[in-house]
């Protein structure tokens, strides 16, 4: 994405009332390391946005379509629920407080860069967490 397009992309996020409100108190693009207590596996996270006061974890996604019907498939296909669960576990391990709300900010890759905000349902977070635990167990057995 070129400079001008990137500007328009981010403008669409901050012009979206809900997205702008969510991101207002966030820390951006932070990395962290932690040791998983159950497996001893060293883990690394790098989240897009986290509000430590409101305990909101936000993941910004550049997508073909920000429509709910399309975006729900992308969550499943790309396993973004697992990623969010891992970010949440990492933040909890590092910061001592788990995120309460998990939010996706979906922005279309092409003009007019339509933006939508979706909260990840608790059932999806739970499924992502179970898959994250399975993956860590596999890593533990392999190393």
């Amino acid at each position: 994405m070129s400079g001008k397009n990137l500007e328009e992309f981010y403008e669409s996020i901050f012009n979206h009332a809900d997205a702008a409100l969510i991101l207002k108190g966030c820390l951006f693009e932070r990395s962290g390391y932690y040791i998983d207590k159950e497996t001893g596996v060293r883990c690394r996270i790098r989240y897009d946005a986290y509000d430590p006061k409101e305990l909101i974890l936000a993941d910004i996604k550049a997508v073909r379509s920000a429509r709910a019907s399309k975006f729900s498939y992308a969550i499943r296909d790309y396993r973004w629920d697992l990623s969010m669960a891992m970010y949440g576990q990492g933040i909890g391990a590092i910061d001592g407080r788990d995120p309460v709300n998990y939010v996706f900010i979906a922005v279309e890759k092409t003009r007019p860069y339509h933006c939508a905000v979706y909260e990840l349902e608790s059932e999806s977070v739970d499924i992502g967490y179970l898959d994250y635990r399975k993956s860590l167990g596999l890593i533990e057995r392999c190393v």
Side-chain angles (χ1 to χ4, degrees):
M1 203 176 290
S2 70
K4 173 92 171 124
N5 292 348
L6 196 55
E7 273 183 45
E8 291 175 9
F9 178 89
Y10 281 104
E11 280 177 16
S12 76
I13 295 171
F14 288 99
N15 287 332
H16 187 284
D18 291 337
L21 185 63
I22 288 165
L23 297 175
K24 185 177 181 182
C26 284
L27 304 171
F28 294 96
E29 293 289 330
R30 298 283 176 102
S31 295
Y33 296 90
Y34 65 100
I35 305 293
D36 178 67
K37 290 181 181 178
E38 291 180 37
T39 62
V41 172
R42 186 168 191 242
C43 300
R44 176 187 179 271
I45 58 168
R46 183 166 179 85
Y47 57 79
D48 288 340
Y50 175 62
D51 184 332
K53 290 181 183 169
E54 299 296 327
L55 301 177
I56 298 171
L57 177 61
D59 204 3
I60 301 169
K61 295 296 184 191
V63 295
R64 285 188 193 150
S65 174
R67 289 189 314 210
S69 60
K70 300 280 185 181
F71 191 72
S72 63
Y73 286 110
I75 292 170
R76 183 199 65 203
D77 293 346
Y78 296 113
R79 299 310 329 265
W80 290 335
D81 57 336
L82 187 152
S83 298
M84 284 290 245
M86 183 173 180
Y87 299 154
Q89 287 295 298
I91 288 169
I94 295 163
D95 195 35
R97 299 180 311 157
D98 294 332
V100 174
N101 294 304
Y102 296 78
V103 178
F104 288 108
I105 298 173
V107 188
E108 292 181 354
K109 296 178 187 181
T110 56
R111 285 187 179 111
Y113 305 107
H114 177 73
C115 180
V117 174
Y118 302 105
E119 186 169 357
L120 189 62
E121 296 174 355
S122 60
E123 297 86 24
S124 294
V125 175
D126 292 344
I127 291 167
Y129 176 76
L130 291 173
D131 289 342
Y132 159 72
R133 297 287 349 143
K134 284 183 206 172
S135 298
L136 277 182
L138 181 61
I139 292 168
E140 177 190 29
R141 288 191 301 278
C142 292
V143 292

